[in-house]
């Protein structure tokens, strides 16, 4: 769509830009850049800094009106500008005295935020590649779709301005779309094709991140079981270094209290790779590493440098029981000095306590491991032993590093709150894997998070989310599945107004947590928006079970709309008596809206669960091809 309404001419505004722009003292908020999309028929908050206590003028290219404001004692200004109906391109000039700056190639349309963890971050083509990626890229010359990639940053204190990749907004084309969120782009494309207006899509996502990282301090405070994290933040003035030191000290104390195996049971630890790739797959926790070295008499009484290469995440090193240093980050090569008075000829022991919070741990394989004193070098690359001191998986609550993207509030403060001045249409959200096994916490937490976002973007802002896809070993009966439990917890968000859920349980891959079919995910999200926000006559909901009854040792379920199983047999159900074990059920369609379930192992079935496994096999759909969501009635 290319439209133009009356206002300052583009040519006049562009001519005005040229004067004083290079040395301009005006700095606009990070979301106000060339190529931006502004929310139509709404309000543009022109936010930035300029000279202190000075008049600031805004000349929008879509109107003859000049908007004025005064900067405060810090130079900050916030001027509200009415936005036009869908159209463009426009230019906008911001002027303060002799200083002026401008924004070019602006479109007015709808702005959507896409956020979550890796399945939302998943690019069209890059670290992951969606199906039919090349075809999608070749057809991505779509200048009426604009992309804004929020830079991945973290902080325990809220930030005012946002940071963006590529300098801010970019037009969608084959080059810019490749690293962008596939779900975000595909959603924008379907909305744009259907409605015919410019669409801006803001990508604020980061793989592996839990919901609490995207939630404010108050939102986390009123969710269950975050007392320890809040105590650590408030008790250390939100200083990540102080918090980390405190947390590491607590973990080391716990590790010291652990009962280590006798010397004969210590195992060999390779130094050329992280321990996940060798002896400790998927291990997070505290590990003791030790090595005996022979010190030549010729360097006795001389200082000695210990080089341990890269270690992840944190470590404390000891020489004959005395601390010689501590470090963090696997990119920082460890160099610790043993004072001259501690260096004696003969046998000596190096002991290193390593804390690994998440992902890879231990020796990184980077750097040369050796002890050096003058011209003498002692190799340290072999002969290391290890013992587990503390396995986080066995703790009631897994510790999280305060400096990391996983910590409560860390991403809300830098990637969501700074976007508050931006007026948006709504949010699409794809997240949940990082909160598996914490389903009781997730329900209230996600509602608090939505409340946080709505406090800055409007209490009725649409919030549409994706229920987790299938992943893991296929099983017919898994009544206590942690993945099923988190899917149920996700549905708690539906208790809030103007929320909706796109079901993706049928789109998974048992061996890949990142299924490639992002087209269907985006389509199901777009159906929600097209129906609820654009008035299109499309359905976005599958049938729901509304009634159950036990008849002659069989369980009958009644749905609120017609069903269409993918095969003759109805699959995906497990049933149980009022008290007792669940068993796989044989199912059949009695009529268009009714299913009958039975099992030779269950008399008088009362309880039922559908698609209640990590990787379900249910085949119930509505007549329009949308899958019935996992549910239970017990």
């Amino acid at each position: 769509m290319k439209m133009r309404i009356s206002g300052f001419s583009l040519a006049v505004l562009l001519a005005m830009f040229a004067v004083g722009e290079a040395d301009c003292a005006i700095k606009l908020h990070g979301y106000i850049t060339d190529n931006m999309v502004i929310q139509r028929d709404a309000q543009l908050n022109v936010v930035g800094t300029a000279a202190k206590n000075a008049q600031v003028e805004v000349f929008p290219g879509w109107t003859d009106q000049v908007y004025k404001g005064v900067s405060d004692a810090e130079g900050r200004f916030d001027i509200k500008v009415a936005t036009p109906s869908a159209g463009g391109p426009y230019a906008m000039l911001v002027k303060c005295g002799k200083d002026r700056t401008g924004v070019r190639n602006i479109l007015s349309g709808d702005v959507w935020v896409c956020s979550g963890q890796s399945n939302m971050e998943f690019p069209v083509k890059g670290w992951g590649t969606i199906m039919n990626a090349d075809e999608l890229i070749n057809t991505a010359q779509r200048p009426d779709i604009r992309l804004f990639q929020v830079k991945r940053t973290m902080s325990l204190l809220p930030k005012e301005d946002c940071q963006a990749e590529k300098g801010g907004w970019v037009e969608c084309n084959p080059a810019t779309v490749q690293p962008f969120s596939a779900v975000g782009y595909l959603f924008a494309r379907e909305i744009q094709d259907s409605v015919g207006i410019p669409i801006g899509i803001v990508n604020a996502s980061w793989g592996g991140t839990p919901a609490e990282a995207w939630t404010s301090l108050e939102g986390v405070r009123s969710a269950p079981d975050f007392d320890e994290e809040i105590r650590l933040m408030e008790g250390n003035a939100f200083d990540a270094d102080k918090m980390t030191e405190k947390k590491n000290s607590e973990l080391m104390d716990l590790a010291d209290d652990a009962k280590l195996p006798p010397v004969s049971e210590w195992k060999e630890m390779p130094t050329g790779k992280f321990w996940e790739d060798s002896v400790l797959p998927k291990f997070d926790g505290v590990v003791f590493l030790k090595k005996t070295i022979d010190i030549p008499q010729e360097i006795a009484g001389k200082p000695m440098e210990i080089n341990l290469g890269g270690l992840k995440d944190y470590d404390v090193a000891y020489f004959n029981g005395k601390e010689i240093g501590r470090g963090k980050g696997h990119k920082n090569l460890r160099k610790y000095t043993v004072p001259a008075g501690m260096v004696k000829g003969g046998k000596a022991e190096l002991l290193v306590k390593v804390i690994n919070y998440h992902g890879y741990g231990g020796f990184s394989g980077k750097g040369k491991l050796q002890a050096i004193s003058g011209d003498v070098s002692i190799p340290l690359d072999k002969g290391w032993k290890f013992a587990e001191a503390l396995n986080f998986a066995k703790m009631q609550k897994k510790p999280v590093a305060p400096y990391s993207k996983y910590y409560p509030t860390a991403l809300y403060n830098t990637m969501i709150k700074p976007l508050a001045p931006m007026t948006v249409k709504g949010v699409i959200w794809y997240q949940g894997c990082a909160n598996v096994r914490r389903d009781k916490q997730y329900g209230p937490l996600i509602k608090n998070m939505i409340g946080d976002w709505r406090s800055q973007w409007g209490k009725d802002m649409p919030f549409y989310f994706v229920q987790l896809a299938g992943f893991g070993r296929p099983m017919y009966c898994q009544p206590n599945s942690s993945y099923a439990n988190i899917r149920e917890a996700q549905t708690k968000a539906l208790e809030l107004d103007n929320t909706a859920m796109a079901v993706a349980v049928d789109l998974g891959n048992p061996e890949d947590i990142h299924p490639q079919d992002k087209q269907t995910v985006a389509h199901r999200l777009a159906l929600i928006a097209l129906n609820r926000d654009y008035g299109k006559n499309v359905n976005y909901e599958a049938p729901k079970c509304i009634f159950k009854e036990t008849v002659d040792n069989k369980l009958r379920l009644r749905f609120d709309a017609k069903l269409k199983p993918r095969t003759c047999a109805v699959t995906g159900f497990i049933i149980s008596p009022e008290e007792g074990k669940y068993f796989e059920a044989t199912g059949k369609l009695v009529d268009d809206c009714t299913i009958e379930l039975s099992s030779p192992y269950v008399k008088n079935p009362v309880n039922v669960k559908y698609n209640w496994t990590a990787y379900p096999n249910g085949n119930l759909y509505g007549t329009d091809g949308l899958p019935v969501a996992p549910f239970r009635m017990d």
Side-chain angles (χ1 to χ4, degrees), residues 476 565 567-573 584-585 587 597 610-611 617-620:
Y476 292 115
T567 61
C568 293
V570 174
T571 60
F573 284 94
E584 183 185 6
L597 305 171
Y610 173 68
N611 268 356
N617 71 328
N619 66 349
L620 278 189

Side-chain angles (χ1 to χ4, degrees), residues 34 70 116 139 189 201 258 279 288 364 449 458 474 530:
D34 291 348
V70 177
T139 58
R189 187 183 72 165
I201 189 80
V279 293
F288 287 176
S364 69
M449 190 202 82
L530 289 171

Side-chain angles (χ1 to χ4, degrees), residues 521-585:
V521 173
H523 172 64
R524 291 174 183 174
L525 285 167
L527 289 176
I528 299 171
L530 289 171
N531 176 288
R532 298 175 65 127
D533 302 290
Y534 297 100
K536 299 294 182 179
N537 186 24
V538 294
N539 181 45
Y540 66 89
E541 292 184 296
K544 295 182 179 67
C545 187
I546 54 175
F547 178 73
K548 71 179 174 76
E549 63 177 343
T550 303
V551 180
D552 297 331
N553 285 327
K554 296 177 182 179
L555 194 63
R556 285 193 173 182
L557 306 180
R558 184 77 178 170
F559 289 76
D560 63 358
K562 292 182 179 180
L563 298 165
K564 190 175 182 180
R566 288 285 172 88
T567 61
C568 293
V570 174
T571 60
F573 284 94
I574 56 176
I575 56 176
S576 79
E578 186 170 355
E579 294 183 5
K581 292 183 178 181
Y582 277 90
F583 290 90
E584 183 185 6

Side-chain angles (χ1 to χ4, degrees), residues 86-106:
Y90 307 107
M92 180 176 69
L93 176 73
V94 181
K95 184 174 177 288
C96 180
K98 294 182 179 180
D99 290 320
R100 62 195 63 190
T101 191
V103 186
R104 304 168 175 84
N105 196 23
I106 301 170

Side-chain angles (χ1 to χ4, degrees), residues 109-127:
D110 282 348
V111 179
W112 288 85
V113 175
C114 65
S115 186
Q117 57 182 109
S118 54
N119 272 302
M120 183 61 85
E121 180 188 339
F122 198 98
V124 173
K125 191 172 186 178
W127 63 261

Side-chain angles (χ1 to χ4, degrees), residues 277-405:
D277 292 330
S278 56
V279 293
L280 289 170
K282 298 182 179 180
F283 180 88
D284 296 323
V286 182
V287 172
F288 287 176
L289 307 173
K290 70 177 181 178
K291 175 178 171 56
T292 302
I293 62 175
D294 289 313
I295 300 178
Q297 290 293 340
E298 63 188 279
I299 64 170
K302 299 178 181 179
M304 182 169 60
E305 184 179 89
I306 305 294
N307 294 280
L308 298 176
L311 284 165
K312 185 175 182 295
D313 294 304
Y314 280 78
D315 64 279
V316 181
Y318 302 84
F319 181 84
N320 285 337
K322 294 185 178 180
E323 183 178 333
I324 57 172
R326 53 185 64 200
K328 62 181 179 180
H330 68 281
K331 294 182 180 179
N332 298 319
L333 302 185
R334 307 299 197 272
K335 291 183 179 181
Y336 302 133
T337 299
V338 182
M342 291 173 57
V343 180
K344 305 182 185 304
K347 302 286 187 184
E349 184 181 78
L350 288 174
L351 178 69
V352 185
K353 300 178 184 178
V354 181
I355 300 176
N356 173 224
Y357 285 100
H358 190 88
Y360 291 107
F363 291 113
S364 69
K366 301 286 181 67
K368 190 172 183 179
L369 278 64
Q370 59 183 342
I372 301 173
S373 181
D375 296 331
V376 176
S377 174
I378 305 171
L380 300 178
D381 58 335
K382 295 180 181 179
W384 287 89
K385 302 285 187 180
F386 80 93
E388 297 180 19
L390 195 63
N391 187 338
F392 290 170
K394 296 180 180 179
M395 297 179 67
Q396 185 173 2
K397 184 176 182 181
K398 179 181 175 179
V400 178
Y403 63 88
S404 72
K405 63 182 181 180

